[in-house]
Amino acid sequence: MSNQVLPVSEPAPAPEISVVIPVFNEEENLRELGERLIRTLTAMGRPYEIIFVDDGSTDGSWELLTDLNRQYPQNIRALQFHRNFGQHQAIFAGFQASRGQVMVTLDADLQNPPEEIPRLVAKLDEGFDTVGGWRENRQDSIFRRLPSQLVNTVMSRVTGVKLRDYGCMLRAYRRSVVDSINQCQESSSFIPALANLFAQRVAEIPVGHAERERGKSKYGIIKLLRLNFDLMTGFSNLPIHLVGFMGVAIACLGLLFGFMLLLRRIFVGPEVEGVFTLFAILFVFVGLNTLGLALIGEYVGRIYREVRGRPRFVVRQTLGPES
Ligand code: UDP
Ligand code: MG
């Protein structure tokens, strides 16, 4: 034994795993969630931190989080927004505060079982950059599942990353991916899709899904529509392309109609006072108008993309001396 003075308390080891959880009025679920998380993560035997982000809750959530932090000061941290900024902004904030090499996100309502975390992390350790869960046995109503299916198909197309479940928030990310996400300054975004832009190897594994037992869903129909609209407009110009396509289609139909009327005039004679000819001309113009609108939309879309200021590229490795 050396007679060096030992520090009074060992500094906690730097966390390896950071779990980020958005919380909006979930007081009924937090205690059970905290306990199940602590049990699962302790069993994994790697240093971890749990970061709760209170997204402007108006119930007792913050007091419960304060309690949890007092009980497990080394492992549980909490941030509080002063108002409701939305689930994805809460995750952004959690990512910015996180210190681990592996980030895991999940919902606070116990619909995503915390016990699935070791499987996600194990998959990540196989060399993937992000691992998503897909809800094998999704316990939501058909009105929630059908639109999700549409979104999954469209998003898989427009981002070029085929995922079965873009909406599942039980996911794991490598530090490098989260660092890139942290550079994005956009105020409306969708984290799983954003992560796909920065991840090279993406995996998906089936995870369990439970019904929401306590509290109710924070997504009403309007909020859900807005989230999906953010997702579409944030990651593609697909909506405006559809308008452009419609414009071209209307104009073409108008031309075809005009051509038919011309043939009719030659072989049968003119139709009632040329009214339909006028319609044909009108259709062509309406179509061109719509196309014009879509072109303007396309430019606005591009301006929007610039304004978002996402990192335009991510350098994975450099050889030779780095600056
Ligand atoms: N949430 C949030 N801010 C919001 C809406 C939701 O932080 O504005 C959190 C909520 O507390 C939960 C997660 O996001 O942890 C998912 O929300 P919810 O379970 O209501 O969505 P659903 O499962 O119905 O899609
Ligand atoms: Mg839920």
Side-chain angles (χ1 to χ4, degrees), residues 22-24 26 55 84 86-87 107-109 111 144 212 217-219 223:
V23 175
F24 182 45
E26 302 283 3
D55 184 16
N84 181 245
Q87 179 185 3
D107 288 348
D109 58 357
Q111 287 197 276
R144 277 311 272 283
R212 193 189 243 282
S217 172
K218 306 302 178 290
Y219 285 99
K223 206 163 168 178

Side-chain angles (χ1 to χ4, degrees), residues 87-88 105-107 111-113 120 131-136 138 148 152 163-173 190-192 204-209:
Q87 179 185 3
H88 292 263
T105 58
L106 75 158
D107 288 348
Q111 287 197 276
N112 302 138
L120 284 175
V131 178
W134 64 271
R135 294 164 284 189
E136 201 175 15
R138 188 166 169 188
S148 295
N152 290 333
L163 289 190
R164 306 174 78 130
D165 196 348
Y166 267 88
C168 180
M169 293 312 291
L170 182 52
R171 290 172 176 275
Y173 309 87
F190 198 87
I191 306 256
E204 232 181 353
I205 60 172
V207 292
H209 193 240

Side-chain angles (χ1 to χ4, degrees), residues 259-271:
F259 184 64
M260 268 163 52
L261 290 177
L262 184 72
L263 287 184
R264 191 195 136 100
R265 187 174 284 243
I266 294 169
F267 295 110
V268 187
E271 90 285 11

